[in-house]
């Protein structure tokens, strides 16, 4: 069982930055896909970014490309999401997820492909 815990959510003004962290109790085989998802009230959950822990390959939703950066610290079993130039539409609960099956691929944005989920951290961006 892998436990994931997110932190770093906060309330910021538009144009501001936040860094979210996702601490995993362990990487299963150092070849996981770690993803960030978000869900705003009344909206479907959407994939934001993902990283293959083995290769370091990264994936982004079009809506966050150029503003968000996903990274990892393997020694700390931690994945980060640096969010810059935040917009009100980025307001959501952000969740970290891990897929222990295979590295990230074209499916990275599909929630059902992930085995483990954190409890989420709230990001609120005001205009």
């Amino acid at each position: 069982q892998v436990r994931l815990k997110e932190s770093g959510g906060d309330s910021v003004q538009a144009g501001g930055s936040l860094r979210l962290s996702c601490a995993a109790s362990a990487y299963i085989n150092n070849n996981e896909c770690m993803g960030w998802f978000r869900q705003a009230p009344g909206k479907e959950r959407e994939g934001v970014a993902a990283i293959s822990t083995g290769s370091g390959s990264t994936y982004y939703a079009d809506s966050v490309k150029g503003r968000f950066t996903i990274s990892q610290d393997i020694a700390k079993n931690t994945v980060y999401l640096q969010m810059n130039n935040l917009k009100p539409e980025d307001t959501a609960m952000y969740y970290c997820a891990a897929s222990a099956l295979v590295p990230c691929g074209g499916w990275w944005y599909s929630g059902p492909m992930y085995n483990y989920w954190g409890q989420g951290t709230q990001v609120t961006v005001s205009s």
Side-chain angles (χ1 to χ4, degrees):
Q1 183 76 12
V2 175
R3 294 182 298 277
L4 304 174
K5 182 169 179 58
E6 305 93 335
S7 62
D10 205 345
S11 296
V12 297
Q13 290 191 328
S17 297
L18 285 173
R19 189 177 80 156
L20 305 184
S21 298
C22 172
S25 57
Y27 280 169
I28 303 296
N29 56 11
N30 292 322
N31 198 28
E32 291 81 10
C33 180
M34 300 290 292
W36 283 100
F37 289 76
R38 66 187 181 186
Q39 188 166 21
K43 294 188 177 181
E44 292 188 356
R45 180 178 60 193
E46 65 170 330
V48 176
I51 185 167
S52 288
T53 59
S55 67
S57 297
T58 57
Y59 305 78
Y60 295 96
D62 288 342
S63 58
V64 306
K65 280 181 181 177
R67 300 189 298 123
F68 291 11
T69 302
I70 189 170
S71 62
Q72 62 176 342
D73 185 333
I74 294 176
K76 295 182 178 179
N77 290 343
T78 300
V79 172
Y80 304 98
L81 185 68
Q82 178 67 44
M83 305 186 295
N84 297 328
N85 190 23
L86 283 161
K87 304 176 181 181
E89 51 263 43
D90 294 318
T91 295
M93 184 71 78
Y94 282 71
Y95 299 92
C96 176
S99 173
L101 300 176
V102 292
C104 302
W107 52 266
W108 71 268
Y109 55 86
S110 177
M113 294 297 290
Y114 292 79
N115 310 88
Y116 306 102
W117 292 82
Q119 295 299 306
T121 186
Q122 178 68 38
V123 172
T124 302
V125 184
S126 58
S127 57

